Amino acid sequence: MSQAPVFPDGFLWGAATAAHQIEGSPLADGAGPSIWTRFAHTPGMTLNGDTGDVACDHYRRWKDDVKLMRDLGLQAYRFSVAWARVLPEGTGRINQAGLDFYSRLVDELLANGIEPLLTLYHWDLPAALDDRGGWLNRDSADWFAEYASVMYKALDGRVKKWVTLNEPWVITDGGYLHGALAPGHRSLFEAPIASHNLMRAHGAAVRAYREIGAHEIGLVVNIEPKYAASDSEADRVATRRAHAYMNEQYLHPALLGRYPEELEDVFGAAWPEWPKQDFELIRQKLDFVGINYYTRGVTEANDSYPLKAGSVRQPLATYSETGWEFYPKGLTDLLVWFKQTYGDTPVYITENGAAMYDPPAAEVDADGRGRVRDPLRTAYLRQHIGAIHDAIQAGVDVRGYMLWSLLDNLEWSLGYSKRFGMVHVNYATQQRTPKDSAHWYSGVIRSHGRSL
Ligand code: LGS
């Protein structure tokens, strides 16, 4: 970039977290168990048996964490609500203490000039609903709309940006197809049903919002551009399949009211015939789409199940600690593709960040302040924010950036082994230490991107 980058007025700079990954105290004050509490307590399901019982203890330290956000200069904070805190059985009885926790958090954010972006579902389904079939039960759309309506009634007005689901692809690919995430099922037949019901639930929650809410609501998807590893017909067809499976499987029904044809090929006999009227429910007008971007896929045909496609490692590229290729240009390509395919729906980048090598503990400088040098994370963030700027220059309506993550936290089945935070968390003492990347990001916010 030769000149200082210019971001649109009102472009929102923030950071993101999710309830199960930071809160701890999952059963406090009358909350019900979620599928993640149950899954993590099942031997062998998470690395080192790590659970969310303590996590970053944010359930008790929320006030200090908001102060930290203010000190960093965040303008927005994306967090999620644990459904089972608010409705311990998933439907019916409201647990006021659970609702109050989020109400206080929102008040504190607003008092500090930080705009809340609230995600209704970031993977922690009440266990009581899983016992009724979870996302495989068609009633899940009604359960979700009921819970969403409780939240809208309590918080709409104070919360002006709502997200229905976080990453339906990961929920089904991890939770129902490959079993790596809760509830740990492995079934080709269940996966499309869970996906479809998630999208019906999304539609039902948006519909309910239009009755009760007066602000903005959208869906968050994790998408990544797929590039063919070679010109061969086989690789090109595999790339189409991978693209349909990961990128179009959710955006097509939400925004165009249909599935991409390739899914029939991916799922074969497991692909059902869907009731036509379901697509009227799923396709709702959205105020924005949230995109979580981490990496790209360079795709080749292979015999992996069930996609018959996989990613080829790039020998010259940098990889993060989770093994994902560092490829900022993919974010520009993806945003341009989004606009070409789906039109002018506004976009927020609702997650972007990396688990990079960090020194094992915060060092302490001569003044007694902690310091963590994480130059690779800063490089990752700088280049990805630059890639967003390129997309804005190309005409894509991107309205904000939420860095993943505010804090080091529980990386699901990978436990505490991977650190995505711009703030280091010492899990023994719960001490928070902003890493060098956090200081850098503060400067970016202060200069509205010009210091990039
Ligand atoms: O912590 C999660 C972050 C970390 O990386 C967060 O809760 C999720 O919303 C989100 O899925 N997150 C995430 N995603 C990266 C997905 C990259 C997939 C690459 C697959 C290559 C085989």
Side-chain angles (χ1 to χ4, degrees):
M1 249 170 284
S2 48
Q3 285 174 337
V6 177
F7 284 82
D9 290 344
F11 186 90
L12 209 53
W13 302 95
T17 64
H20 180 76
Q21 296 180 270
I22 64 164
E23 287 178 355
S25 311
L27 302 177
D29 301 329
S34 78
I35 54 173
W36 265 97
T37 305
R38 191 144 82 178
F39 186 73
H41 280 274
T42 306
M45 292 308 183
T46 64
L47 191 70
N48 304 318
D50 285 348
T51 72
D53 291 0
V54 178
C56 306
D57 198 25
H58 171 78
Y59 189 72
R60 298 192 302 168
R61 294 168 193 264
W62 58 277
K63 224 174 184 168
D64 292 340
D65 287 339
V66 174
K67 182 171 179 306
L68 178 66
M69 295 175 214
R70 193 201 54 204
D71 291 347
L72 292 171
L74 297 193
Q75 299 169 346
Y77 174 53
R78 173 175 178 242
F79 65 97
S80 79
V81 170
W83 183 343
R85 287 200 196 280
V86 178
L87 295 158
E89 289 87 34
T91 55
R93 186 175 63 86
I94 295 174
N95 177 39
Q96 192 60 41
L99 198 51
D100 287 347
F101 170 72
Y102 296 106
S103 181
R104 281 193 301 267
L105 174 64
V106 166
D107 283 345
E108 189 71 10
L109 290 166
L110 295 175
N112 284 282
I114 301 167
E115 162 141 36
L117 268 77
L118 188 155
T119 303
L120 289 162
Y121 188 70
H122 203 126
W123 310 359
D124 44 1
L125 188 74
L129 294 182
D130 199 44
D131 294 340
R132 293 160 71 184
W135 295 112
L136 299 173
N137 186 332
R138 271 182 75 86
D139 293 346
S140 53
D142 299 329
W143 305 335
F144 187 59
E146 178 186 333
Y147 153 60
S149 300
V150 169
M151 297 311 304
Y152 304 150
K153 283 181 192 141
L155 297 179
D156 193 60
R158 284 185 283 160
V159 173
K160 298 197 169 86
K161 291 187 172 52
W162 295 82
V163 168
T164 55
L165 308 174
N166 179 69
E167 302 188 342
W169 182 82
V170 177
I171 299 169
T172 37
D173 185 80
Y176 290 89
L177 181 61
H178 294 299
L181 302 175
H185 297 197
R186 286 168 201 221
S187 163
L188 188 65
F189 283 81
E190 287 184 4
I193 295 171
S195 284
H196 189 72
N197 285 331
L198 279 158
M199 293 314 291
R200 289 177 53 253
H202 157 77
V206 176
R207 223 180 233 179
Y209 189 71
R210 300 302 177 207
E211 307 266 303
I212 303 169
H215 303 282
E216 296 179 9
I217 191 159
L219 171 71
V220 166
V221 288
N222 61 295
I223 51 181
E224 55 183 53
K226 303 289 184 186
Y227 305 89
S230 81
D231 287 342
S232 75
E233 174 71 7
D235 284 351
R236 280 192 285 121
V237 172
T239 304
R240 271 294 314 149
R241 265 202 312 275
H243 175 62
Y245 176 62
M246 192 165 181
N247 302 330
E248 296 175 342
Q249 181 169 195
Y250 304 92
L251 287 175
H252 265 37
L255 297 169
L256 306 178
R258 64 180 171 82
Y259 286 115
E261 283 165 18
E262 289 80 0
L263 292 185
E264 230 174 301
D265 184 25
V266 171
F267 289 105
W271 186 248
E273 188 142 331
W274 307 106
K276 290 254 176 319
Q277 65 275 20
D278 284 1
F279 295 96
E280 287 162 31
L281 176 63
I282 294 172
R283 183 190 190 179
Q284 298 290 326
K285 188 187 171 314
L286 299 184
D287 301 307
F288 63 88
V289 165
I291 293 179
N292 295 351
Y293 178 81
Y294 289 89
T295 190
R296 69 163 170 178
V298 178
T299 309
E300 66 171 1
N302 65 19
D303 54 9
S304 71
Y305 169 84
L307 250 195
K308 300 193 267 8
S311 291
V312 187
R313 214 176 147 85
Q314 303 302 298
L316 297 178
T318 302
Y319 280 79
S320 70
E321 290 278 291
T322 44
W324 303 329
E325 187 197 351
F326 186 127
Y327 193 71
K329 181 175 174 295
L331 181 50
T332 313
D333 292 351
L334 190 70
L335 287 165
V336 168
W337 165 79
F338 178 87
K339 179 181 158 86
Q340 282 166 354
T341 311
Y342 302 110
D344 286 326
T345 305
V347 173
Y348 286 88
I349 301 303
T350 35
E351 285 181 32
N352 173 245
M356 289 291 181
Y357 172 76
D358 291 341
E363 18 169 320
V364 174
D365 70 14
D367 300 327
R369 283 185 305 254
R371 172 157 190 203
V372 179
R373 295 165 206 261
D374 61 339
L376 272 178
R377 181 173 293 99
T378 301
Y380 181 97
L381 299 172
R382 172 186 287 123
Q383 293 189 31
H384 284 78
I385 297 171
I388 294 166
H389 184 258
D390 291 347
I392 294 172
Q393 300 279 76
V396 186
D397 185 4
V398 189
R399 302 213 173 159
Y401 177 80
M402 304 298 128
L403 190 157
W404 186 271
S405 181
L406 174 68
L407 302 170
D408 286 338
N409 60 45
L410 174 66
E411 185 50 30
W412 306 104
S413 312
L414 298 175
Y416 296 97
S417 67
K418 300 290 177 258
R419 292 176 176 270
F420 281 84
M422 63 167 151
V423 175
H424 176 271
V425 176
N426 175 330
Y427 293 113
T429 61
Q430 292 297 343
Q431 167 88 30
R432 275 80 163 132
T433 306
K435 303 177 190 176
D436 284 359
S437 59
H439 298 302
W440 171 82
Y441 186 52
S442 279
V444 171
I445 299 175
R446 267 198 310 278
S447 71
H448 200 57
R450 276 181 286 272
S451 66
L452 205 60

